[in-house]
Amino acid sequence: QVQLVESGGELVQPGGSLRLSCVASEDTFTANTMGWFRQAPGKEREFVAALRLYDGNRYYKESVKGRFTISRENAKNTMYLQMHSLNPEDTAVYYCAANRNRIITSALRRPESYGYWGSGTQVTVSS
């Protein structure tokens, strides 16, 4: 079973930046769609960003547009989430997700559309 492993989460001050990484445990794992979700205490898991690897299209939660960038480095089989201008509302556990098959646009924001998940990395934005 392929596992996804996130890293990069930490405590950061408001206005700061972080880059999260997600690596698949198997070099041969090929995903068609990858995404980032987050879950704050007492809240449901929510969509943050997605990357459709077969056409390069990117999708973002409205509140992170212009601040977050999702990307992938094929040579390292690693996906990233670059985050800038962080604010306390961004505090959450961030999860990497992937799916071998394509996901239609209308389903990209649904956690159940993804077959593989990481265990999460904590991002805390606080002064």
Side-chain angles (χ1 to χ4, degrees):
Q1 178 75 8
V2 173
Q3 293 183 336
L4 303 178
V5 180
E6 305 97 334
S7 62
E10 62 181 67
L11 173 63
V12 63
Q13 291 189 343
S17 299
L18 279 178
R19 188 178 77 162
L20 305 183
S21 300
C22 171
V23 181
S25 61
E26 296 180 5
D27 291 340
T28 57
F29 177 68
T30 301
N32 271 292
T33 310
M34 299 191 74
W36 289 96
F37 287 75
R38 67 187 183 188
Q39 188 166 17
K43 295 187 177 181
E44 294 187 350
R45 190 169 299 189
E46 65 175 7
F47 169 80
V48 176
L51 171 61
R52 293 204 306 209
L53 299 173
Y54 56 92
D55 62 12
N57 284 337
R58 292 166 168 81
Y59 302 83
Y60 296 96
K61 176 181 173 62
E62 192 64 33
S63 64
V64 308
K65 283 182 180 179
R67 300 189 299 122
F68 291 10
T69 302
I70 186 172
S71 63
R72 176 178 168 86
E73 187 173 356
N74 291 333
K76 295 184 177 181
N77 205 19
T78 301
M79 179 178 66
Y80 302 100
L81 184 68
Q82 179 67 56
M83 305 184 293
H84 296 295
S85 302
L86 286 162
N87 58 63
E89 289 70 38
D90 296 316
T91 294
V93 178
Y94 283 70
Y95 296 91
C96 168
N99 203 59
R100 291 188 186 275
N101 300 320
R102 299 183 179 188
I103 302 174
I104 60 175
T105 304
S106 61
L108 280 172
R109 290 168 170 77
R110 302 175 193 164
E112 60 268 28
S113 299
Y114 297 79
Y116 299 90
W117 289 86
S119 58
T121 184
Q122 177 71 48
V123 172
T124 302
V125 185
S126 176
S127 56

